[in-house]
Amino acid sequence: MKHVSLLVALSAALVLSGGDAAQAQSAQEPFGRVRIQYKDFTWQQLSTQNFNIYYYAGGEVAARRAAEYAEKELQRITSLIGYYPYSKTTIMLYNSVGDLRQSNVGLDTDKYQTGGETELLRMSKVQLAFQGQQTLFKRDLSYQITKVLLNDMMYGGSLKEVIQSSYLLQLPDWFVSGASAYASEGWSVDMDDYMRDMTQKVESNRPAQFFVRNPELAGQSIWNYIAERYGYTTIQNILNLTRITRDVEVGISSSLNVPYKVFLKDWVAYYRQLNVQPQTAFVLPEESRQVVKNNRKSLIYSQSVLSPNGQRLAYVSNERGRYRVMVANRDGSGRHAIYRGGYKTPDQQVETRLPALAWRSNSQVAVAGEYKGNMNLSLVSADAGPTNFVFQFVDAIFGRNSSSIFKPFSQILDLNYSPDGKSLVFSGVRNGQNDLYVLRAGTRTPEKLTNDVFDDVQPVFLPNGSGIVFSSNRWLDSAGTAKGSFGNVVNNYDLFIYHLDGRTQPVETLVSTISNEGRPRAISDDEILFLGEESGVRSIYRYSFKTKRHVPVSSFLPNIENFDYNATTSTLGFVAADKSRDFVYLYPTYPLPENLVLYKTARQETLEDRSKAPARAATQPATPVAADTQDNNVAPSKNDQQINTSDYQFEEDVPSRANAPRRRRNDVVAALPTAPPADAFSVAGPYKYDKRFSIDNVVSSLYADPLLGLGLIGQANMSDLFEDHRVRAGIFALTDLRTSNIYAEYTNLKKRYDWSIGYQKQAYFFDAENQRLRFGRHEVSPTIAYPLTHNLSVRGGPRFVNVNRTVISKFSTEDDINRSYIGVSGELVFDNAISTGVNMMEGTRMKIGLLKLNGIDDGSQNFGKIYIDLRHYQKIHRQITWANRASFGSFFGTSAQTFRLGAWTTG
């Protein structure tokens, strides 16, 4: 018998049909996303007083640095938020974002769609990917530690507090993420840029648009506003009062003695006042110069690079992990994709820094990206059309048109070809360290130029090939040697040149300020352009090797994320944000201005003022960044009386005293009342990973089954630390205490292929024709799943089913029925949907399946089933989802079964 349905859900599970096993929710059809493991992760553990650090091959150096730094950061963060953890925090360290995306942590978080869920584990484990730079590593560590502490603080450590907070406390998106960003970055240049841009373009003081566009940056600005206006200790008061009252609005209004709505208006007005009528005549990038006119999907653009003749621009468009390499003509026309890669993972961190691009010639683009867990290098024609993707797919299968030179590296951050195309310089990451390498024509072994803990990024050849200009946070001594340790690495990037003439000390400082300088671009043998933050806005500067001076040559209002410039055609291409949405701008002709002056922003002046020991006697006029800026040949000492405005951190408030000198804000937050014990920073290990299971989720709810009526659902989920091994068990029972549906399943996700084994027992009791009947069903279902892509998988395995009917009102067994079946099942499953709430999803799910069961005792009972189920969930509003479903099913065989209408699924 066939069934066809549109926008209606049909149940294919009959007690005697031997069909798919009914879940605890009866009509909930299992789909399930997949994650592909390209590597075999053998985990090791380091242990400190407050942290367990897990790592694998190639990550021990980074893990030991993380262990020591995490303990020190914990002291700083606890003094800021006023809370100390009850138990250890687990940090799972990955060598790259690509490796992290192979993790099974968080997979199938939408498995429970009935409500009544309780997370028993606090967020005590975090996944952290080393992104190739020590400064980003420190920032990410601080961010995740703060996030763990705040979640533990808000939701409690005991079971009672976890359950109470799960139902009573609902934190807005900006609260924890914004506080974590503030604790790790302070008043950052990106947050200041976001608020400057939004206050300029949003006229009303209504905060809704600020939170919708970027909740984290908006939240970071709120906590910064609280600290700047009310003092750092107020942060502790708000957090503790929010925890007690379980209400954010009450916590803020009671701590500040200001109504919550007034507080939000004051917050917006504060940043609006900071950026009103700037002395610098900032200009907005012209909308007519946008290569793409809208960005409704929140695409991330990067790697804007111009061809050597300046006639084409290549850039990367990234949509939640799936990227395209685009090429456009100098006037913005002829935009087309030449290369595609990656895959979407909306519920995971995505790699936005890859692929890295470089033009080898006017017609060929080098693409350094990740493929099947390894770095590779591909050369792509800039004239490639749609048919190129067919060849790209074939080449990927046979491993052609790509180089394995980058395979030893966990990451490639930047690359650049020499003008003759015979040498390639790149920034590569190996064993937790970033260094510069040069690959010359005729060799397959890169030459290592630098070898230290400092970050050396964004290298570019000079036109004459005599040197390489790059950005680094290194410190040079008087002999020009970089010295330092991980603890001394700071977020202050300067420009350096590496001379290729064989001199003893090849590294020389070019531009060194208290702000960041990066993304150098050589426009001649005597001049380079670079991005600098000296004024508080990330702008383009020009540096002369002859005069040793740098001057600004752009005055755009938003921060420039990355750029390229061609001196021959005066073409400028760059990426900048408009209301937190990236756009690519392409100016066919952009003459570099002369005598441009950039005055410092209020943030820049505030932070620089705090670096001075004596208080200013009077307010000084804004300091311009003009053409007479002189660079030092040696980077400033770490003990200079200047603050690194890109690495700004905090110090607790102290009572003001008349005529007392103003305290300088150092790089260390207020010390704890007592010093940590001497062994607090000791690291033990490594130890082998000890596999242990813990219950991390329970479901308890009432459910109305279409066939059986109202009953109770109980379900528990257990897994190991990395969620590679999972045990799921549950029961659906009626109030008669006899009718029940019990199931248990073990799943192993450790390898490329996944396997599981499940068991289900059903017992139903009915009264019919003055008889008391018991229907029973037992099923054993081993399954193997092999992912074809990151959304598509093939699943199948043997099935054993036993069904029986017992007339319990009679003592004889002549009317009893007992049948056993054995067979196979197979499915093709597509699933890219993500859960946005209870019974709320977004994405597409599809399943095509075949089930064939043969009677063991009676061959006439053979039957099979084919079925198709297609679902699409389209978000049409922030809280409204349009759900569509089409399905088809048909039984066949000598004993074809019957579909029964009535069950409804919301998943």
Side-chain angles (χ1 to χ4, degrees):
M1 180 177 180
K2 298 181 179 180
H3 88 277
V4 179
S5 70
L6 180 63
L7 302 179
V8 119
L10 299 181
S11 173
L14 282 176
V15 174
L16 296 178
S17 70
D20 285 345
Q23 304 298 306
Q25 302 93 316
S26 279
Q28 291 288 344
E29 287 289 336
F31 285 85
R33 290 169 288 119
V34 293
R35 293 179 186 166
I36 300 178
Q37 286 73 45
Y38 297 109
K39 298 180 180 179
D40 187 8
F41 298 95
T42 303
W43 293 96
Q44 300 285 322
Q45 175 190 350
L46 298 177
S47 181
T48 66
Q49 180 177 332
N50 295 286
F51 296 91
N52 289 321
I53 314 291
Y54 289 88
Y55 68 95
Y56 53 94
E60 183 173 0
V61 174
R64 291 192 177 276
R65 291 171 178 170
E68 296 177 1
Y69 185 75
E71 286 291 347
K72 295 178 182 178
E73 275 295 279
L74 181 66
Q75 310 302 319
R76 181 182 73 83
I77 296 170
T78 53
S79 67
L80 176 66
I81 68 175
Y83 179 80
Y84 202 86
Y86 288 102
S87 58
K88 283 189 176 184
T89 296
T90 297
I91 298 177
M92 296 173 283
L93 183 60
Y94 294 83
N95 296 344
S96 67
V97 176
D99 285 357
L100 184 148
R101 298 178 76 191
Q102 301 177 42
S103 166
N104 290 309
V105 175
L107 183 63
D108 284 346
T109 54
D110 62 324
K111 185 178 288 292
Y112 318 102
Q113 289 284 318
T114 62
E117 302 173 34
T118 302
E119 297 289 342
L120 293 183
L121 294 181
R122 66 185 182 95
M123 200 197 84
S124 58
K125 66 179 182 181
V126 296
Q127 298 185 98
L128 184 64
F130 179 68
Q131 299 191 60
Q133 292 179 239
Q134 310 298 344
T135 52
L136 295 181
F137 191 40
K138 286 185 172 183
R139 182 201 66 183
D140 293 343
L141 274 171
S142 299
Y143 180 92
Q144 295 293 352
I145 292 171
T146 307
K147 193 173 183 180
V148 167
L149 293 180
L150 290 176
N151 277 282
D152 191 29
M153 181 181 185
M154 293 295 114
Y155 293 101
S158 66
L159 179 61
K160 177 182 176 181
E161 290 176 325
V162 168
I163 295 176
Q164 287 179 343
S165 298
S166 297
Y167 288 96
L168 299 178
L169 178 59
Q170 296 295 327
L171 296 176
D173 294 338
W174 62 264
F175 191 84
V176 172
S177 63
S180 303
Y182 178 69
S184 60
E185 297 182 86
W187 193 348
S188 68
V189 66
D190 290 324
M191 181 269 283
D192 191 58
D193 173 66
Y194 175 72
M195 294 304 295
R196 180 174 61 251
D197 185 47
M198 291 294 291
T199 53
Q200 292 282 340
K201 297 173 182 177
V202 179
E203 296 182 358
S204 67
N205 284 340
R206 296 180 180 178
Q209 293 192 48
F210 291 81
F211 294 126
V212 170
R213 284 289 180 168
N214 196 317
E216 182 173 305
L217 289 179
Q220 183 182 355
S221 69
I222 285 181
W223 291 108
N224 179 71
Y225 164 69
I226 293 172
E228 293 295 321
R229 181 165 181 178
Y230 299 98
Y232 298 126
T233 54
T234 310
I235 295 177
Q236 298 183 14
N237 299 336
I238 293 175
L239 293 174
N240 281 287
L241 197 56
T242 300
R243 180 190 185 190
I244 294 171
T245 63
R246 293 190 171 90
D247 191 304
V248 174
E249 296 186 12
V250 173
I252 291 178
S253 59
S254 299
S255 298
L256 305 181
N257 198 25
V258 175
Y260 183 70
K261 291 184 178 179
V262 175
F263 163 77
L264 292 180
K265 290 183 179 179
D266 291 345
W267 156 61
V268 176
Y270 172 79
Y271 288 100
R272 195 182 299 280
Q273 181 64 32
L274 284 181
N275 297 291
V276 68
Q277 295 180 348
Q279 289 182 279
T280 301
F282 288 111
V283 297
L284 291 172
E286 300 175 22
E287 291 188 8
S288 61
R289 303 302 183 187
Q290 292 177 352
V291 177
V292 181
K293 301 304 179 183
N294 64 72
N295 189 4
R296 297 192 182 115
K297 294 184 178 181
S298 299
L299 303 180
I300 298 176
Y301 294 111
S302 62
Q303 297 289 326
S304 56
V305 289
L306 289 166
S307 59
N309 60 8
Q311 298 298 324
R312 292 179 177 181
L313 176 75
Y315 63 93
V316 176
S317 170
N318 190 308
E319 182 182 3
R320 296 188 292 186
R322 177 71 173 173
Y323 66 81
R324 294 187 301 168
V325 178
M326 309 294 296
V327 170
N329 294 328
R330 176 186 169 194
D331 59 359
S333 64
R335 182 171 57 92
H336 62 284
I338 64 171
Y339 191 87
R340 295 180 182 179
Y343 53 93
K344 292 183 181 179
T345 51
D347 55 346
Q348 277 189 305
Q349 179 182 352
V350 299
E351 178 61 87
T352 59
R353 305 176 67 180
L354 291 177
L357 305 182
W359 288 84
R360 186 178 185 183
S361 64
N362 291 320
S363 61
Q364 199 173 47
V365 180
V367 181
E370 185 176 2
Y371 180 70
K372 292 187 176 181
N374 294 312
M375 296 299 304
N376 72 339
L377 177 65
S378 300
L379 296 176
V380 185
S381 170
D383 300 312
T387 56
N388 180 65
F389 299 115
V390 177
F391 296 108
Q392 179 185 337
F393 177 75
V394 174
D395 291 338
I397 294 177
F398 295 100
R400 300 185 305 227
N401 198 33
S402 63
S403 173
S404 60
I405 293 175
F406 289 162
K407 190 174 182 179
F409 299 90
S410 60
Q411 298 176 66
I412 300 296
L413 302 183
D414 306 278
L415 67 159
N416 180 261
Y417 276 96
S418 60
D420 59 7
K422 295 182 179 180
S423 297
L424 174 68
V425 60
F426 61 92
S427 176
V429 181
R430 295 184 68 177
N431 298 321
Q433 183 169 298
N434 175 306
D435 293 298
L436 295 183
Y437 297 81
V438 168
L439 180 66
R440 306 184 191 279
T443 65
R444 296 187 58 84
T445 303
E447 176 188 351
K448 194 172 187 178
L449 300 182
T450 60
N451 186 14
D452 50 59
V453 71
F454 298 107
D455 301 323
D456 304 321
V457 296
Q458 302 164 356
V460 60
F461 276 103
L462 290 177
N464 59 12
S466 62
I468 298 170
V469 181
F470 64 100
S471 177
S472 177
N473 54 6
R474 61 183 52 241
W475 299 95
L476 298 182
D477 58 17
S478 58
T481 303
K483 293 183 178 180
S485 61
F486 178 74
N488 296 329
V489 173
V490 297
N491 186 23
N492 183 203
Y493 287 82
D494 299 320
L495 290 187
F496 299 84
I497 182 172
Y498 190 99
H499 295 282
L500 298 175
D501 54 6
R503 63 183 67 182
T504 306
Q505 297 296 339
V507 179
E508 177 188 353
T509 304
L510 297 180
V511 181
S512 178
T513 71
I514 60 175
S515 299
N516 284 333
E517 291 82 38
R519 191 61 64 180
R521 288 290 182 262
I523 57 177
S524 70
D525 293 333
D526 299 323
E527 287 186 322
I528 60 172
L529 299 182
F530 65 92
L531 291 180
E533 300 173 358
E534 196 171 353
S535 68
V537 179
R538 192 177 298 121
S539 305
I540 304 175
Y541 290 77
R542 176 168 56 187
Y543 172 81
S544 171
F545 286 94
K546 295 180 179 179
T547 63
K548 307 294 184 182
R549 301 175 185 272
H550 66 275
V551 296
V553 292
S554 75
S555 58
F556 294 112
L557 178 68
N559 286 343
I560 296 178
E561 298 303 325
N562 56 74
F563 84 105
D564 200 1
Y565 185 82
N566 186 276
T568 304
T569 60
S570 299
T571 304
L572 173 66
F574 63 91
V575 176
D578 181 3
K579 292 184 179 180
S580 197
R581 299 291 187 269
D582 282 352
F583 288 91
V584 179
Y585 295 89
L586 184 56
Y587 285 71
T589 303
Y590 182 85
L592 299 179
E594 301 287 345
N595 302 320
L596 181 63
V597 177
L598 297 184
Y599 290 88
K600 296 181 179 179
T601 62
R603 165 194 172 272
Q604 191 74 12
E605 285 194 327
T606 300
L607 300 186
E608 289 187 7
D609 284 347
R610 290 174 181 169
S611 68
K612 300 180 179 180
R616 287 189 175 183
T619 304
Q620 299 292 331
T623 305
V625 180
D628 59 349
T629 305
Q630 178 70 41
D631 299 309
N632 299 322
N633 287 330
V634 180
S637 169
K638 286 173 287 194
N639 297 322
D640 286 353
Q641 298 297 315
Q642 291 179 322
I643 190 170
N644 175 10
T645 57
S646 300
D647 195 31
Y648 174 64
Q649 294 176 312
F650 327 100
E651 184 177 282
E652 68 179 351
D653 295 339
V654 294
S656 60
R657 294 177 295 175
N659 301 323
R662 185 175 179 180
R663 288 188 64 181
R664 181 172 65 91
R665 298 185 183 268
N666 298 318
D667 282 346
V668 181
V669 178
L672 289 173
T674 57
D679 60 346
F681 302 146
S682 61
V683 180
Y687 310 107
K688 289 185 178 180
Y689 167 56
D690 184 15
K691 188 188 306 175
R692 297 182 181 180
F693 286 81
S694 60
I695 298 178
D696 52 28
N697 185 289
V698 295
V699 176
S700 57
S701 180
L702 291 173
Y703 181 75
D705 187 276
L707 301 177
L708 305 176
L710 185 66
L712 297 173
I713 286 179
Q715 183 167 297
N717 187 53
M718 298 177 61
S719 64
D720 69 329
L721 179 65
F722 295 94
E723 300 184 20
D724 295 327
H725 306 270
R726 304 183 180 188
V727 176
R728 186 169 62 97
I731 183 173
F732 170 73
L734 299 186
T735 54
D736 62 6
L737 302 181
R738 292 187 298 178
T739 300
S740 63
N741 180 351
I742 302 173
Y743 63 93
E745 181 185 45
Y746 167 77
T747 305
N748 187 309
L749 306 175
K750 179 70 174 176
K751 303 294 184 179
R752 170 68 183 264
Y753 61 89
D754 305 331
W755 66 271
S756 64
I757 183 169
Y759 169 75
Q760 185 175 30
K761 174 182 177 294
Q762 296 168 274
Y764 301 142
F765 292 81
F766 298 99
D767 291 319
E769 299 179 355
N770 298 323
Q771 293 182 332
R772 186 67 172 168
L773 303 178
R774 178 190 183 277
F775 293 91
R777 183 173 183 273
H778 301 265
E779 179 176 3
V780 178
S781 53
T783 303
I784 294 179
Y786 188 84
L788 303 176
T789 69
H790 295 85
N791 297 318
L792 186 67
S793 62
V794 177
R795 307 175 184 184
R799 290 286 186 92
F800 170 81
V801 179
N802 173 267
V803 294
N804 58 79
R805 187 196 69 180
T806 305
V807 183
I808 60 178
S809 59
K810 293 183 178 181
F811 290 102
S812 64
T813 60
E814 58 184 12
D815 295 329
D816 295 348
I817 299 176
N818 190 304
R819 297 171 182 168
S820 296
Y821 300 85
I822 191 169
V824 295
S825 66
E827 291 181 333
L828 178 67
V829 180
F830 177 87
D831 190 349
N832 67 357
I834 59 173
S835 175
T836 57
V838 177
N839 293 329
M840 296 285 289
M841 308 198 72
E842 181 180 350
T844 301
R845 288 179 160 182
M846 182 272 294
K847 177 190 295 186
I848 301 175
L850 170 66
L851 172 68
K852 184 67 173 69
L853 292 177
N854 297 324
I856 297 178
D857 302 320
D858 185 359
S860 64
Q861 296 297 322
N862 300 347
F863 70 94
K865 180 180 68 169
I866 58 173
Y867 52 93
I868 301 174
D869 193 347
L870 175 63
R871 312 180 188 193
H872 180 70
Y873 308 89
Q874 181 64 48
K875 183 178 180 180
I876 59 177
H877 188 265
R878 279 180 292 173
Q879 297 180 344
I880 300 177
T881 299
W882 181 268
N884 304 273
R885 181 180 180 187
S887 62
F888 166 83
S890 178
F891 280 104
F892 60 90
T894 57
S895 182
Q897 305 296 309
T898 304
F899 288 96
R900 178 170 296 181
L901 178 66
W904 180 268
T905 176
T906 55

